[in-house]
Amino acid sequence: MIEYALGFAYLAFGAALVLNLWRLAQGPSAADRILALDTMVINGIALVILIGVSQATAVYFEAAMLLSLVGFVSTVALTKFILRGDVIE
Amino acid sequence: MSGAGVTIVEALASLLIVIGAVFGLVGSYGLVKLPDLVMRLHAPTKATTLGVGGVLLGAMVHAWGVEGRSSWHELLIALFLFVTAPISANLIAKAWLHREGADRPLPPTGRECGWANDDPPPDASESGRGDPPR
């Protein structure tokens, strides 16, 4: 049963990543592209967690944790760069 | 745990993962479909965060019930994402206002009166204007 749920979730998050990629290429403003990258990181975290569930190991949770930390810090850095023209003043 | 119990827990984990996947897909679809950045900001920050939260809860239930190990990492990741999603949304909105909001009007509200900053609501001029502040 869990295999079907995992397959559906792989498809859903893969389609979500494609939609994010479209917004990343299209996005009229820089803020759109930052938002698309932030959402891509979150969808990537979900995919990493799903791989961890399908292989029944705990290894991937550290990877997901690090990915979430790096995603948040990079979003803040990009927006700070747009707001202030510099990341660390 | 008995066989039936494992099946029920597996069904619960599957349900949580499917619900999370639907929410994640809806969030990214909203990112593509909605017409303006300040509207687009709503879809990923709410729906996608909720979707990842559902997947993480499903993974937690799966680790407890099927694999037989207690696991708290997922809850940590979910809490971190729930805390940081509004912060990053606020920063992206500020960046948009800084770059585009200065020389561009705010998006239409879709109602007869505009944003409350520029355009007072219709009944403010008739009755509300003279009321003393409470």
Side-chain angles (χ1 to χ4, degrees), chain A residues 10 20-21 23 33 37 41 43-44 58 62 77 86:
Chain A
Y10 281 140
N20 295 157
L21 201 62
R23 177 53 70 194
R33 297 198 165 93
L37 279 172
V41 169
N43 285 326
E62 275 79 11
D86 207 351

Side-chain angles (χ1 to χ4, degrees), chain A residues 1-2 5 9 12 16 19-20 23 29 32 35 39 42-43 49 53 56-58 61-62 68-69 72 79 82-83, chain B residues 10-11 14 21 25 28 31-32 37 40-41 44 52 56 59 67 69 73-74 77 80 84 91 94 98-100:
Chain A
M1 190 192 312
I2 193 88
L19 293 174
N20 295 157
R23 177 53 70 194
S29 68
D32 281 294
L35 183 62
T39 315
I42 295 179
N43 285 326
I49 293 289
V53 171
T57 69
F61 298 126
E62 275 79 11
S68 69
L69 290 167
F72 174 64
T79 50
I82 285 183
L83 278 172
Chain B
E10 198 181 329
S14 307
L25 188 57
S28 293
L31 182 69
V32 167
L37 180 101
R40 280 200 282 272
L41 210 49
V52 174
L56 287 161
E67 299 165 32
R69 57 181 167 82
H73 307 255
E74 294 91 341
I77 300 170
F80 184 79
T84 56
L91 282 170
K94 277 167 83 175
H98 182 70
R99 281 282 284 263
E100 320 280 326

Side-chain angles (χ1 to χ4, degrees), chain A residues 57-68:
Chain A
T57 69
V59 178
Y60 288 95
F61 298 126
E62 275 79 11
M65 186 84 219
L66 286 174
L67 200 56
S68 69

Side-chain angles (χ1 to χ4, degrees), chain B residues 43 50 61-62 88:
Chain B
L50 196 60
V61 169
H62 189 264
S88 51

Side-chain angles (χ1 to χ4, degrees), chain A residues 3-13, chain B residues 17-19 21-22 25:
Chain A
E3 299 85 24
Y4 297 111
L6 284 174
F8 175 75
Y10 281 140
L11 282 178
F13 281 110
Chain B
I17 287 174
V18 166
I19 289 172
V22 168
L25 188 57

